[in-house]
Amino acid sequence: MPFTALHPEAGRLDATLPDLGCGMDWTQVHKARPRVDLSCPECGWGVHAKHSPSRVRFFCHDPARPPSCELSNESWEHHMLKLELAGAIRAAGWYAELEVPAEDGSWRADVMASSPDGAQRMAWEAQLSPITVEDIRARTARYRAEGITVCWVSPHKKPPQWIGAVPAVRVRAPEEDEPWVVDDGVAGFDFAAGGWAFREEELQQFVRWVLHGQLSPCRSLPRYRQVTRVVDDQYWFFRRDLWWTSRQSSRAQNEHE
């Protein structure tokens, strides 16, 4: 279920944009007759424009698609998180493109954010499938080698093992009309208490602060890496080597040390 497709004349289409990213109307590809020859940018198989029951626009693979296509194998939750990230990026005043591949095919960003002047790029990765710390560090390094920063986003209830190894957050999906919330990966340094404290923020606000430079990754110094948190009225201990935090909190840690 990709959000993007290749048009034989217009090129790359993005179903999340009003004009599909190329000045076209959705009706020109959705149930159009004769049918438009669209293809999946990942596997090259034929796709067609479709609506979900909740009116989310996307492209659906034609029958007998290749079983190995990564875009078609992504879950609905994965797609909805990508859509939420793209919306938050655009609300922050940046451009967002979904399912953007590297020129050499070495990576494909779920959502690529670009600053208005085009000088900065940041990949936002919805990571639902299991991945080792070594692999996610290697993928982060590939982005960094091309001057692209990255934030990994997990929607799982339990913190993944890589949450403190790379710039990352864990998010909580909304119930009814509530917003998406970042509930792990953001912290403030409490100078009086001498340690880090978890901070919860709405996902859209978090994305805005990151893109505008108000939050950045900060390495936790060794004696501050164990952090307590109350979960279901019980105290739990977590180890975090890396946080998204403000410059003020980063300075406070150094001053306390």
Side-chain angles (χ1 to χ4, degrees), residues 25-48:
D25 189 85
W26 181 247
T27 58
Q28 292 179 256
V29 294
H30 182 243
K31 296 184 176 180
R33 294 293 181 269
R35 176 177 163 170
V36 182
D37 186 21
L38 303 176
S39 61
C40 172
E42 178 74 14
C43 66
W45 199 255
V47 296
H48 54 280

Side-chain angles (χ1 to χ4, degrees), residues 4-17:
T4 56
L6 298 179
H7 188 282
E9 298 174 359
R12 191 172 182 275
L13 307 183
D14 186 335
T16 69
L17 293 171

Side-chain angles (χ1 to χ4, degrees), residues 6 20 57 59 98 115 126 178 214 234 236 255:
L6 298 179
L20 305 184
R57 306 190 315 190
F59 297 101
L98 282 85
S115 60
E178 296 180 357
Q214 294 168 276
Q234 293 184 334
W236 291 78
E255 291 169 3

Side-chain angles (χ1 to χ4, degrees), residues 131-140 161-162 165:
I131 186 172
T132 65
V133 172
E134 292 75 17
D135 284 346
I136 203 167
R137 280 178 170 157
R139 291 175 63 182
T140 301
Q161 60 178 342
W162 43 263

Side-chain angles (χ1 to χ4, degrees), residues 86-118:
I89 292 164
R90 291 165 184 161
W94 281 42
Y95 301 107
E97 293 182 274
L98 282 85
E99 301 155 2
V100 177
E103 291 185 4
D104 62 0
S106 61
W107 50 261
R108 175 174 54 79
D110 282 334
V111 188
M112 182 66 76
S114 300
S115 60
D117 61 2

